[in-house]
Amino acid sequence: MSKEVEPTELSDSLNPTPTAGYNPGEKKSIQEYASLDAQDESLRRWKESLGISTDGANDALDPTAPKLTIHSLALESTQLPNGSVSIQLDKPSELEKLAKTPLQIPEGIEYAVAIRFSVGREVLSGLKYIHVVKRAGVPVDRMEEMIGSYPPRKEPYVKRFAPNEAPSGFLARSGNNSVRSRIMDDDGVIYADFTWTFKFVKA
């Protein structure tokens, strides 16, 4: 769904591209982060940038909440009739419906992928979104984007990625496209893995 490349050049791997020399470090609970080196001013600012409270406000979080809940994936564009088309991922029936009736995306439009999600009880770091698009079983596109690091909170987050342009022409409109999407963190923990379909149509 970004610029297509020749199938022979494209990996269908859903594993993230490794960053040379990167070490994710030791994971800590939200309470451990909050009490960590309370006198360190630079660390205090870093914790504030992540929304980690040092005054006990994080203690009110539900300890049984899922670490990560993906609510929806949307394709947003000013060229779409309602501004976006979306998949409600917290409703399993939506994915079943898409297997029979793919999302319809007008050819040639500029759009951005947006993910709405909630973080439950721990700081999640290095979240990435990866998807591989296949047509007739052949990989035609791969997208890998950094979502980032987020602390738990009650309100959902929305992450929008850089815009892409949908391809145009007869070949782009021929057949359905199957997408396998995955969201994982810098430890390789997979939080979401789902499949959906779409079809390019005449604008």
Side-chain angles (χ1 to χ4, degrees):
M1 293 158 61
S2 55
K3 183 178 179 181
E4 294 192 7
V5 298
E6 292 298 324
T8 54
E9 301 175 0
L10 186 67
S11 168
D12 62 356
S13 171
L14 284 163
N15 294 320
T17 303
T19 302
Y22 175 70
N23 182 354
E26 180 185 359
K27 298 296 182 184
K28 298 181 184 297
S29 70
I30 190 73
Q31 289 79 15
E32 288 173 323
Y33 275 120
S35 60
L36 188 64
D37 293 333
Q39 305 307 313
D40 187 320
E41 181 64 19
S42 62
L43 186 57
R44 182 187 65 80
R45 289 196 297 268
W46 173 78
K47 289 188 287 187
E48 287 180 352
S49 73
L50 279 179
I52 300 173
S53 171
T54 57
D55 59 8
N58 297 123
D59 295 341
L61 295 167
D62 182 358
T64 64
K67 290 183 179 180
L68 182 68
T69 301
I70 309 298
H71 300 295
S72 64
L73 181 148
L75 305 180
E76 299 180 342
S77 173
T78 57
Q79 297 165 276
L80 288 169
N82 297 314
S84 69
V85 290
S86 64
I87 308 168
Q88 294 301 122
L89 295 172
D90 47 11
K91 297 180 180 178
S93 59
E94 284 287 305
L95 291 176
E96 295 174 9
K97 189 188 303 181
L98 281 175
K100 300 176 182 178
T101 309
L103 289 179
Q104 294 198 357
I105 304 171
E107 62 180 352
I109 68 167
E110 185 177 88
Y111 68 93
V113 175
I115 297 175
R116 184 171 178 267
F117 61 97
S118 294
V119 178
R121 64 180 188 273
E122 294 181 10
V123 174
L124 297 181
S125 60
L127 291 173
K128 279 189 174 182
Y129 172 78
I130 303 168
H131 78 211
V132 172
V133 182
K134 292 185 178 182
R135 187 181 303 141
V138 178
V140 294
D141 186 38
R142 183 181 187 276
M143 174 178 172
E144 179 174 340
E145 294 283 352
M146 178 63 73
I147 300 174
S149 300
Y150 295 84
R153 73 176 191 186
K154 294 181 180 179
E155 299 79 14
Y157 294 97
V158 176
K159 175 66 176 181
R160 292 178 178 85
F161 302 124
N164 289 297
E165 183 177 330
S168 301
F170 174 76
L171 288 179
R173 299 193 306 271
S174 61
N176 295 338
N177 298 270
S178 174
V179 189
R180 185 173 174 187
S181 296
R182 178 176 288 179
I183 295 174
M184 58 197 306
D185 67 13
D186 53 14
D187 277 337
V189 177
I190 298 171
Y191 294 98
D193 193 328
F194 56 95
T195 301
W196 51 287
T197 56
F198 71 92
K199 180 179 178 63
F200 291 118
V201 296
K202 282 191 174 184

